[in-house]
Amino acid sequence: MKGIILAGGSGTRLHPMTLAISKQLLPVGDKPMVYYPLSVLMLAGIREVLVISTPVDLPHFRRLLGDGASLGLTIDYAAQPAPEGLAQAFLIGAGHVGYDSAALVLGDNIFHGPAFSDLLAEHAKNVDGCVLFGYPVTDPQRYGVGETDADGRLVSIEEKPAQPRSNRAITGLYFYDNDVLELARELTPSARGELEITDLNRKYMAQGRARLVDLGRGFAWLDTGTPESLLQAAEYVQTLQNRQGVQIACVEEVALRMGYIDADSCYRLGAAMGNSDYGRYVMAIARELG
């Protein structure tokens, strides 16, 4: 499975913070926002990642993440000149995906929960159709909402419904088989001029090949698209990290635990940031697991 992080857009809801920098490079707690979706892909066992962003912002992502080799990854980059829909990621990233299945994660979504790696690995195997991830919310009128049958197959997707059929919002994490490349090419722009991810998911649903996996009790799903939600996400991360003494979305630790790098390499990455609490944590993890 190949991974795509969609980190484009202009972040207008976060102006003026995003007038000079990509939203996905803003800090959430003690690390850049893009670390969170990157860690999700890594936990799913994905080691080949494409970062899609604006032409202006791509150099900043390259400076932060490089080619991924230090984390045991291969990271490539591609430009999305204009925000023309989430499903456009599969037109831009078709060469990256090749003949493999694909995981798309939105660069401003944060996921955290117990045994998340096991859940991701289970559903990343032998994807047939698409696998979406649902999260129970108290205000489903604000989201795209999925309804399933008894077997977990999607039977309806509604965008911001006045009378929701369920309380399960569809999150910004999507697994697809290789058919996604052809189905994305068949899409036509919506009334707002975008290739909609919902239209893509409905194509799979019409074939009876769309499933919704619940992220239930104990999981957190946070969208960081507004100043309020960005602050809430930072408070969530810092509270858990301070109380538990473990990092959320520490990509160096994830790389070590997944076997992508060894303890010595992990320690060197931490030492390069040794003046920060984050760097000292990475070194401590390397010593603990080495």
Side-chain angles (χ1 to χ4, degrees), residues 85-130:
L86 305 185
Q88 189 184 35
F90 294 107
L91 305 185
I92 297 170
H96 169 72
V97 175
Y99 296 101
D100 294 317
S101 55
L104 172 66
V105 61
L106 304 187
D108 61 358
N109 275 218
I110 294 175
F111 297 86
H112 179 249
F116 194 27
S117 179
D118 294 338
L119 178 73
L120 293 171
E122 175 187 353
H123 293 288
K125 291 179 181 177
N126 304 316
V127 178
D128 179 14
C130 76

Side-chain angles (χ1 to χ4, degrees), residues 210-271:
R211 298 182 57 241
L212 186 65
V213 175
D214 281 323
L215 301 176
R217 292 177 67 92
F219 272 89
W221 168 56
L222 304 167
D223 181 349
T224 55
T226 67
E228 294 78 12
S229 60
L230 181 62
L231 177 60
Q232 289 168 2
E235 290 175 340
Y236 172 85
V237 169
Q238 288 301 99
T239 297
L240 279 185
Q241 290 184 168
N242 289 339
R243 288 184 178 177
Q244 299 180 357
V246 296
Q247 281 276 338
I248 298 173
C250 174
V251 293
E252 295 83 3
E253 180 179 3
V254 174
L256 177 58
R257 290 186 182 276
M258 295 294 292
Y260 301 163
I261 60 174
D262 60 25
D264 288 341
S265 298
C266 184
Y267 187 89
R268 287 194 293 270
L269 292 173

Side-chain angles (χ1 to χ4, degrees), residues 10-272:
S10 53
T12 55
R13 292 184 297 166
L14 286 167
H15 283 176
M17 288 187 286
T18 49
L19 287 174
I21 190 171
S22 167
K23 169 175 63 176
Q24 293 85 5
L25 291 171
L26 292 175
V28 178
D30 56 356
K31 60 188 72 70
M33 188 186 299
V34 72
Y35 274 33
Y36 296 88
L38 177 59
S39 70
V40 169
L41 297 181
M42 294 170 68
L43 288 170
I46 295 169
R47 301 181 69 171
E48 296 178 67
V49 177
L50 178 70
V51 176
I52 298 176
S53 189
T54 68
V56 170
D57 291 316
L58 277 178
H60 303 301
F61 285 100
R62 288 182 185 273
R63 182 180 179 186
L64 174 66
L65 302 174
D67 62 5
S70 64
L71 297 172
L73 308 176
T74 299
I75 300 179
D76 293 313
Y77 301 86
Q80 184 184 37
E84 296 176 343
L86 305 185
Q88 189 184 35
F90 294 107
L91 305 185
I92 297 170
H96 169 72
V97 175
Y99 296 101
D100 294 317
S101 55
L104 172 66
V105 61
L106 304 187
D108 61 358
N109 275 218
I110 294 175
F111 297 86
H112 179 249
F116 194 27
S117 179
D118 294 338
L119 178 73
L120 293 171
E122 175 187 353
H123 293 288
K125 291 179 181 177
N126 304 316
V127 178
D128 179 14
C130 76
V131 179
L132 312 180
F133 294 85
Y135 188 80
V137 294
T138 57
D139 50 353
Q141 298 87 350
R142 296 179 50 225
Y143 302 93
V145 176
E147 179 190 14
T148 64
D149 62 17
D151 296 320
R153 286 191 296 267
L154 269 174
V155 296
S156 75
I157 304 175
E158 301 175 287
E159 284 295 325
K160 299 181 179 179
Q163 296 181 320
R165 299 181 183 181
S166 86
N167 69 336
R168 290 144 75 184
I170 296 175
T171 70
L173 175 64
Y174 317 86
F175 289 173
Y176 297 99
D177 65 12
N178 193 256
D179 292 346
V180 69
L181 301 182
E182 180 60 32
L183 293 175
R185 284 192 290 267
E186 295 174 359
L187 294 176
T188 56
S190 65
R192 60 178 184 169
E194 296 189 4
L195 300 179
E196 305 286 356
I197 198 76
T198 297
D199 291 340
L200 179 61
N201 295 335
R202 282 177 175 148
K203 283 180 173 288
Y204 277 105
M205 185 178 70
Q207 299 173 1
R209 297 199 301 135
R211 298 182 57 241
L212 186 65
V213 175
D214 281 323
L215 301 176
R217 292 177 67 92
F219 272 89
W221 168 56
L222 304 167
D223 181 349
T224 55
T226 67
E228 294 78 12
S229 60
L230 181 62
L231 177 60
Q232 289 168 2
E235 290 175 340
Y236 172 85
V237 169
Q238 288 301 99
T239 297
L240 279 185
Q241 290 184 168
N242 289 339
R243 288 184 178 177
Q244 299 180 357
V246 296
Q247 281 276 338
I248 298 173
C250 174
V251 293
E252 295 83 3
E253 180 179 3
V254 174
L256 177 58
R257 290 186 182 276
M258 295 294 292
Y260 301 163
I261 60 174
D262 60 25
D264 288 341
S265 298
C266 184
Y267 187 89
R268 287 194 293 270
L269 292 173

